[in-house]
Amino acid sequence: ICLLLGERLGADLEVLLPAAILHDIGRRREVVDHAGESARLSEKVLGELGFGKPRIKRITEAIRAHSFSGDQRPSSLEVKILSDADKIDAMGAVGVYRAASYASEEGRSIEDFIHHFHEKLLKLLDLLYTEPAREMALQRRDFMVRYLKQLDRELKLET
């Protein structure tokens, strides 16, 4: 998604693509700020790979600011694209699968699963920064809405 958006919008792919690859390297259950932890870990990895300090700074800035739950506003095109791509990845058929997998792993009820869509996933479209991302996300959000309507119809037959 980052590559597609980055090419379309003329982003610096030497910043965007490493950020996309490393943006969740610090995601673990016990980590509260996964974006900050991912940026910290990425700095070390990128340094070992021979990236220069200015590029490392731009990459880790994108990683630090990409998160849905973070409070940082995107300061560059690359940050906007990484943030948008991360949100798009949580939507559509892949998003439904991810949400179902997570709910199952956590032992959550179907009501909690459905609540997650209304609490977060259906709001993602309105949080996107770029027009091409909104175009991609619109179909995915529409799919999730259709899925939830069908799920509601099926659950009503069971109760």
Side-chain angles (χ1 to χ4, degrees):
I1 297 169
C2 276
L3 180 59
L4 183 70
L5 291 173
E7 286 177 339
R8 186 160 174 200
L9 293 167
D12 183 345
L13 298 181
E14 291 182 12
V15 170
L16 181 59
L17 297 183
I21 291 166
L22 296 168
H23 80 281
D24 277 344
I25 194 173
R27 184 179 284 282
R28 293 184 307 282
R29 221 174 268 249
E30 68 275 6
V31 174
V32 175
D33 175 18
H34 90 275
E37 179 68 2
S38 294
R40 187 184 70 73
L41 293 171
S42 294
E43 189 170 356
K44 182 176 189 256
V45 169
L46 294 165
E48 290 172 359
L49 292 172
F51 282 72
K53 288 189 187 295
R55 179 149 293 138
I56 291 173
K57 183 177 184 209
R58 291 186 63 210
I59 294 167
T60 57
E61 174 189 286
I63 293 169
R64 193 172 285 108
H66 85 276
S67 178
F68 170 82
S69 56
D71 59 358
Q72 293 193 24
R73 300 289 300 166
S75 58
S76 71
L77 177 62
E78 292 74 25
V79 178
K80 289 176 182 177
I81 291 171
L82 181 60
S83 178
D84 283 358
D86 200 44
K87 289 175 180 73
I88 290 169
D89 192 49
M91 300 173 73
V94 170
V96 170
Y97 172 77
R98 286 176 51 184
S101 294
Y102 182 77
S104 177
E105 285 174 18
E106 297 294 314
R108 294 191 174 170
S109 68
I110 195 161
E111 291 81 13
D112 288 340
F113 169 71
I114 294 167
H115 179 72
H116 180 66
F117 282 87
H118 297 286
E119 175 185 61
K120 180 179 178 183
L121 301 180
L122 293 175
K123 295 178 181 179
L124 294 175
L125 178 66
D126 296 328
L127 302 175
L128 299 174
Y129 296 101
T130 67
E131 190 56 38
R134 281 189 284 280
E135 292 167 8
M136 286 176 91
L138 190 57
Q139 286 183 321
R140 291 179 183 224
R141 188 194 50 110
D142 289 347
F143 173 84
M144 292 188 305
V145 168
R146 288 192 315 273
Y147 171 82
L148 289 170
K149 285 179 181 175
Q150 180 64 28
L151 182 60
D152 184 57
R153 284 191 292 272
E154 292 178 18
L155 290 173
K156 285 182 178 171
L157 288 176
E158 294 179 10
T159 58

